[in-house]
Amino acid sequence: MLLPGRDGVPTPTAPTSPREFSMSDPYNAPNQPGGYQPNYNLNPGQMRGQQLAQTSMIFGIISLFALGIILGPIAIVKAKRAEEAGGDAKVGRITGWIGTILGALWLIGVVIYVIALIGAIGSMNY
């Protein structure tokens, strides 16, 4: 809304009601979202379950590539707690189990390699 000002030049004023906002001007629209809006339909227990599910997923995925024998079981435990709290933690549980199995196989492989190496060194003639 413009009012006549000094020397006949109109001066802008703030709108006094929501109807004075122009929807054709995107910078003047009321109640524009300011980015990510969290889901407020969840109670705190369900939100905690979702957080635990996300944590178990992260640990499960990392366990596929590194420290599977340690991070895999952590992912499985967090997935169980997430499901108890109402979260959906299938991905964390599955990747946790796969990471645990891969970590155990890697550990068995290392033990076999070390035993074979010690046997080869012990059978060498000097």
Side-chain angles (χ1 to χ4, degrees):
M1 184 166 105
L2 298 175
L3 296 175
R6 181 181 260 179
D7 299 327
V9 176
T11 56
T13 61
T16 57
S17 74
R19 293 178 186 233
E20 290 184 27
F21 284 100
S22 169
M23 294 309 288
S24 63
D25 182 12
Y27 300 106
N28 198 18
N31 301 325
Q32 283 194 340
Y36 172 73
Q37 298 294 323
N39 188 355
Y40 291 111
N41 297 330
L42 301 176
N43 65 35
Q46 289 173 324
M47 289 179 71
R48 179 70 179 147
Q50 284 188 349
Q51 290 171 347
L52 285 169
Q54 185 177 14
T55 304
S56 73
M57 180 186 68
I58 291 168
F59 279 137
I61 291 171
I62 293 173
S63 74
L64 296 174
F65 303 103
L67 301 173
I69 199 75
I70 297 168
L71 296 179
I74 293 173
I76 295 167
V77 169
K78 289 205 176 279
K80 182 179 179 187
R81 289 183 186 163
E83 289 172 347
E84 290 171 356
D88 185 21
K90 290 179 189 174
V91 174
R93 186 172 15 100
I94 292 169
T95 55
W97 276 111
I98 293 172
T100 302
I101 292 168
L102 290 176
L105 289 174
W106 179 83
L107 187 62
I108 290 169
V110 168
V111 168
I112 290 172
Y113 178 76
V114 168
I115 290 172
L117 188 64
I118 291 173
I121 291 174
S123 66
M124 291 178 76
N125 294 328
Y126 294 103

